[in-house]
Amino acid sequence: EAGVAQSPRYKIIEKRQSVAFWCNPISGHATLYWYQQILGQGPKLLIQFQNNGVVDDSQLPKDRFSAERLKGVDSTLKIQPAKLEDSAVYLCASSLGLAGGEQDTQYFGPGTRLTVL
Amino acid sequence: DQQVKQNSPSLSVQEGRISILNCDYTNSMFDYFLWYKKYPAEGPTFLISISSIKDKNEDGRFTVFLNKSAKHLSLHIVPSQPGDSAVYFCVAITGGGNKLTFGTGTQLKVEL
């Protein structure tokens, strides 16, 4: 079974430029997550989708970050304009979307390493 | 505010010996805990979990212990193998949800 796919794997941009990341989750997974992992820290949730609806975007800096999952499958995360502190690895994860106390294991993609100069 | 803390950024163990990775948390609302393992240039992968109603969960060479009163959990790997060399993240979940709160990670190196 194919895992979570992300592209690009690496991106270098200048501050104030825009950038977009793409994620293709595991087939059949209803829930999709975007995480930001700054060097030396653990991943931090930015946004969670259930199908094509947003469940939690409380940690997303909405003045510069946006994300969409239009058809409930692929997702894009955009930063515009980028700041130096946005340098991080952006991880996409997906899960079946189980409820009712069952463990809903999240499967992560390899991430996109963003460097803002 | 770091709600999940892994105070040892790195740990070195000899092959065949036991590896013990520690984790402390501050939020009493956490009721489910997981360990994820991460190799370089890959995403984290789920390793083992434990519910707050238990104090131990074992899966092969991996055992997780939970001490709720101390708000402490640990991951034991025995025997340790070179392929276990990775970053290990302690992760907590609140009340039946699926929002993961990660610790900062511990880099484990298993030496021959």
Side-chain angles (χ1 to χ4, degrees), chain B residues 19-36:
Chain B
S19 296
I20 300 176
L21 293 88
N22 293 302
C23 175
D24 297 292
Y25 61 96
T26 58
N27 189 341
S28 301
M29 300 302 292
F30 289 143
D31 64 357
Y32 203 84
F33 302 89
L34 309 92
W35 286 90
Y36 271 76

Side-chain angles (χ1 to χ4, degrees), chain A residues 71-86:
Chain A
K71 295 182 179 178
V73 181
D74 294 4
S75 177
T76 54
L77 176 69
K78 297 179 181 177
I79 308 175
Q80 182 179 10
K83 292 186 175 181
L84 296 176
E85 58 261 36
D86 298 332

Side-chain angles (χ1 to χ4, degrees), chain A residues 9 33 35 37 40 42-43 45 48 56 103-106 108-110, chain B residues 32 34 36 38 41-44 46 49 89 98-100 102-104:
Chain A
R9 294 296 308 275
Y33 315 78
Y35 289 82
Q37 185 181 10
L45 180 69
Q48 176 184 342
D56 182 353
Q103 183 183 338
D104 191 27
T105 302
Q106 294 185 28
F108 285 80
Chain B
Y32 203 84
L34 309 92
Y36 271 76
K38 185 182 183 306
E42 295 183 13
F46 168 73
S49 63
F89 288 103
N98 51 11
K99 179 175 179 178
L100 305 183
F102 281 78
T104 52

Side-chain angles (χ1 to χ4, degrees), chain B residues 36-56:
Chain B
Y36 271 76
K37 180 167 81 169
K38 185 182 183 306
Y39 292 118
E42 295 183 13
T45 56
F46 168 73
L47 184 60
I48 192 169
S49 63
I50 188 166
S51 164
S52 61
I53 62 173
K54 296 185 176 182
D55 55 17
K56 177 182 174 181

Side-chain angles (χ1 to χ4, degrees), chain A residues 47-111:
Chain A
I47 189 167
Q48 176 184 342
F49 292 94
Q50 181 77 15
N51 296 309
N52 60 350
V54 175
V55 173
D56 182 353
D57 63 357
S58 58
Q59 300 290 319
L60 188 74
K62 298 180 188 63
D63 57 333
R64 298 183 301 105
F65 286 64
S66 64
E68 60 183 14
R69 192 184 184 201
L70 289 176
K71 295 182 179 178
V73 181
D74 294 4
S75 177
T76 54
L77 176 69
K78 297 179 181 177
I79 308 175
Q80 182 179 10
K83 292 186 175 181
L84 296 176
E85 58 261 36
D86 298 332
S87 294
V89 175
Y90 290 85
L91 293 161
C92 179
S94 69
S95 68
L96 283 169
L98 300 175
E102 290 188 71
Q103 183 183 338
D104 191 27
T105 302
Q106 294 185 28
Y107 297 86
F108 285 80

Side-chain angles (χ1 to χ4, degrees), chain B residues 2 9 21 28 36 39 59 72 79-80 90 94 100 102 111:
Chain B
Q2 189 69 32
L21 293 88
S28 301
Y36 271 76
Y39 292 118
D59 183 2
H72 177 84
S80 301
C90 177
T94 305
L100 305 183
F102 281 78
E111 298 172 319

